[in-house]
Amino acid sequence: MEEPAVGDVFGEMIKDAYAVHTGVGPRPLAGGRWPRPVIEVIERDDGLINGAPAGHYLEEPADWRPFDHRALRLVRGHVLDIGVGAGRTAVELQRRGMAVTGLDTSAGAIEVARKRGLRDTVLNTVDAYAVASARYDTFLLLGNNLGLLESLDRGPVLLDALARLANPGARLIAQGTDPYGTTDPVHVAYHQRNRERGRLGGQLRLRLRYRRLATEWFDYLNCSPAELEELVAGTRWRLKAIDDEDRPYYLAVLELAG
Amino acid sequence: MEEPAVGDVFGEMIKDAYAVHTGVGPRPLAGGRWPRPVIEVIERDDGLINGAPAGHYLEEPADWRPFDHRALRLVRGHVLDIGVGAGRTAVELQRRGMAVTGLDTSAGAIEVARKRGLRDTVLNTVDAYAVASARYDTFLLLGNNLGLLESLDRGPVLLDALARLANPGARLIAQGTDPYGTTDPVHVAYHQRNRERGRLGGQLRLRLRYRRLATEWFDYLNCSPAELEELVAGTRWRLKAIDDEDRPYYLAVLELAG
């Protein structure tokens, strides 16, 4: 088989999902006739593959899961929404009159977020953006984007970059997933395999695919609150609260140390 | 990455789709809590990947596409439904009082078709089953299963096996897709690449994936009616009619030569 090309998988997918959602412009059709659902394909390095309808990136607040609503109640001041995607939560914050900036590394995602009305966007990595003079009071990592902490090595580096973008007393609200409640043998074996390789059990090695595009392989971290506490120790952040009302999903609230 | 294991991809997928559909038994859940849609993942040998919700294998007649209804109106006598899957069309024929046998190579598919009430099932390949003494008046290849003809080499061999299972005057109703109407550069380039390798343009090289399972790579033929006519020539079958009212999808009606 030919390897897929490396490209803006998320952007191409979200542009198609947005076209299907709005019915405007060229969009995927079966036989040039019937709407074709847009599916995000996620490969894991143990050969596991998973498809998920991309529509959830465009969901209105009425369709959100409860923890997303609770997360937005914790927001204050100037907000940086990291991995803003199609602007699902950022557009809602803007609608509520909050000052919100959406950051993403996907040009296609930023394009869709802007079409949906998000005014302030940044196409960049956190690391590169951390040299900017902008400062924020709240950082959002929603849609399971606590996973962007990647690993015990990379997580503190990302948190350091965010500390450079932070006003005094800034807060970081991250939605994560505790992977260890599962009894699915596929996942239990994967956690064990990871540990044998010196990785955290839920340190997923993934790539996304859409049509003929793939991302590079990347780490994405599903960790327990205890593992998160270990990762945060030694950074300029403190873990202030865990809201695990919707276990295994949780919200972690971090605050910048004084 | 570890290669996925070879196994009954379709069966595992359709069992999960059926569990989601009925709400009975263990089924995929996100976070052990929210239903997770079951997605069929199809890889093509040019690196293209496509995900499609598996629910359409379980659709009731009210949700079918028009050509499926027209196909069932062409059925007569004892019917062999080839690639019966979850029994979408066979269960409906049985409901109408027809004598129908469902054949599939997937144990999981046969299990689901039987749970849905299909009484007469065969877990086998057409080739191996063709030594049986059963005889049929109609063969159905629906759900795009004209694709099972695979290639100009393999198609006539499959048609020969079906001729051995046929009563005099038997009819074969196959639903296909003419691939050449598309202007999508990904598909146009793929057709060209196939021709350069001595294959029919729409002779897809595919594998299915679900969770940690994959099929072997196999050929699946999307051909034009003209290509089908060429394939049928020299077999014991004659192409009697093409219904292309829902282009690019079509129904081909073949009859056994006298």
Side-chain angles (χ1 to χ4, degrees):
Chain A
M1 191 194 81
E2 288 178 36
E3 272 295 300
V6 170
D8 184 6
V9 175
F10 189 82
E12 292 304 304
M13 179 192 77
I14 211 71
K15 286 195 288 184
D16 278 354
Y18 184 66
V20 167
H21 187 74
T22 58
V24 175
R27 52 196 183 279
L29 295 168
R33 179 185 301 250
W34 285 289
R36 182 195 288 278
V38 176
I39 304 288
E40 179 173 31
V41 174
I42 305 169
E43 280 187 298
R44 201 170 68 180
D45 66 343
D46 61 342
L48 184 73
I49 201 159
N50 191 45
H56 70 92
Y57 290 109
L58 298 163
E59 271 176 353
E60 298 298 326
D63 302 311
W64 292 358
R65 293 184 176 174
F67 46 74
D68 283 325
H69 292 285
R70 296 202 301 279
L72 294 206
R73 287 202 287 272
L74 301 172
V75 162
R76 58 188 184 188
H78 194 177
V79 180
L80 183 66
D81 189 342
I82 296 161
V84 68
R88 186 176 64 92
T89 47
V91 168
E92 173 61 13
L93 285 173
Q94 183 178 279
R95 200 188 60 74
R96 295 182 190 178
M98 303 285 300
V100 56
T101 302
L103 177 145
D104 213 291
T105 59
S106 160
I110 293 290
E111 179 184 327
V112 171
R114 294 192 71 88
K115 277 190 183 157
R116 297 178 80 204
L118 188 62
R119 288 188 293 268
D120 192 15
T121 56
V122 174
L123 174 61
N124 210 343
T125 62
V126 167
D127 309 75
Y129 188 54
V131 302
S133 57
R135 292 292 176 271
Y136 298 92
D137 303 294
T138 302
F139 301 95
L140 282 179
L141 289 161
L142 299 183
N144 214 44
N145 270 343
L146 187 138
L148 297 176
L149 295 177
E150 293 188 18
S151 67
L152 288 179
D153 288 339
R154 165 66 184 157
V157 176
L158 184 66
L159 291 174
D160 256 19
L162 291 176
R164 290 197 295 280
L165 286 164
N167 281 324
R171 170 180 285 189
L172 187 157
I173 300 151
Q175 188 257 306
T177 304
D178 184 341
Y180 305 122
T182 185
T183 56
D184 186 325
V186 168
H187 296 310
V188 172
Y190 186 73
H191 299 159
Q192 180 60 29
R193 167 188 188 277
N194 262 342
R195 288 193 192 94
E196 287 164 5
R197 297 175 181 199
R199 298 161 62 86
L200 291 175
Q203 190 177 332
L204 312 182
R205 187 85 182 152
L206 305 177
R207 68 172 180 177
L208 308 183
R209 293 177 64 182
Y210 185 66
R211 307 241 321 145
R212 290 197 62 203
L213 293 180
T215 64
E216 304 279 7
W217 289 92
F218 60 91
D219 280 354
Y220 198 74
L221 183 61
N222 282 349
C223 65
S224 66
E227 288 171 332
L228 177 63
E229 189 141 35
E230 181 187 348
L231 184 152
V232 170
T235 73
R236 295 176 55 199
W237 299 85
R238 296 292 166 267
L239 180 58
K240 299 301 275 191
I242 294 283
D243 163 357
D244 64 355
E245 195 177 309
D246 296 310
R247 261 189 308 273
Y249 307 107
Y250 62 87
L251 296 171
V253 181
L254 278 62
E255 282 183 9
L256 197 64
Chain B
M1 192 194 83
E2 287 179 38
E3 271 296 299
V6 171
D8 184 7
V9 175
F10 189 83
E12 292 305 304
M13 178 191 77
I14 211 71
K15 285 196 288 185
D16 279 354
Y18 184 66
V20 168
H21 186 76
T22 59
V24 175
R27 54 197 182 280
L29 295 169
R33 177 186 301 251
W34 286 288
R36 182 194 288 278
V38 176
I39 305 287
E40 179 173 29
V41 174
I42 305 170
E43 278 187 300
R44 201 168 69 179
D45 66 344
D46 61 342
L48 184 74
I49 202 159
N50 191 44
H56 70 92
Y57 290 109
L58 299 163
E59 274 177 350
E60 298 299 325
D63 302 310
W64 293 356
R65 293 188 175 172
F67 48 73
D68 283 326
H69 292 284
R70 296 201 301 277
L72 294 205
R73 287 202 289 271
L74 301 172
V75 161
R76 57 189 185 189
H78 194 175
V79 180
L80 184 65
D81 189 343
I82 296 160
V84 68
R88 187 176 62 91
T89 48
V91 168
E92 172 62 14
L93 285 173
Q94 183 179 281
R95 201 188 59 74
R96 295 182 190 178
M98 304 285 301
V100 57
T101 302
L103 177 144
D104 212 292
T105 59
S106 160
I110 293 289
E111 181 185 327
V112 171
R114 294 192 71 87
K115 277 189 184 156
R116 298 178 82 204
L118 188 62
R119 290 188 293 269
D120 192 14
T121 55
V122 174
L123 174 61
N124 210 341
T125 62
V126 166
D127 309 75
Y129 187 55
V131 303
S133 57
R135 293 291 176 270
Y136 299 92
D137 303 294
T138 302
F139 301 95
L140 281 179
L141 288 161
L142 299 183
N144 215 43
N145 269 342
L146 188 139
L148 297 177
L149 294 178
E150 293 187 19
S151 66
L152 288 178
D153 287 340
R154 167 65 184 156
V157 176
L158 185 66
L159 290 174
D160 254 22
L162 292 176
R164 291 197 295 280
L165 287 164
N167 281 324
R171 171 181 285 190
L172 188 156
I173 300 150
Q175 188 256 306
T177 304
D178 183 340
Y180 305 122
T182 184
T183 56
D184 186 325
V186 168
H187 296 311
V188 171
Y190 186 72
H191 299 158
Q192 180 60 27
R193 169 187 185 276
N194 262 341
R195 288 194 192 96
E196 286 164 6
R197 297 176 181 198
R199 297 162 62 86
L200 291 176
Q203 190 176 332
L204 312 182
R205 188 86 183 153
L206 305 176
R207 67 173 180 177
L208 307 183
R209 292 177 65 182
Y210 185 66
R211 303 231 338 136
R212 289 197 64 202
L213 294 180
T215 64
E216 304 279 7
W217 289 92
F218 60 91
D219 280 352
Y220 198 73
L221 184 60
N222 281 350
C223 64
S224 66
E227 288 171 333
L228 178 62
E229 190 140 33
E230 179 188 349
L231 185 152
V232 170
T235 73
R236 293 175 57 198
W237 298 87
R238 298 291 168 269
L239 181 56
K240 300 299 274 192
I242 295 283
D243 163 356
D244 63 356
E245 195 177 311
D246 296 310
R247 264 189 307 271
Y249 307 109
Y250 62 87
L251 297 171
V253 182
L254 279 63
E255 282 185 9
L256 197 63

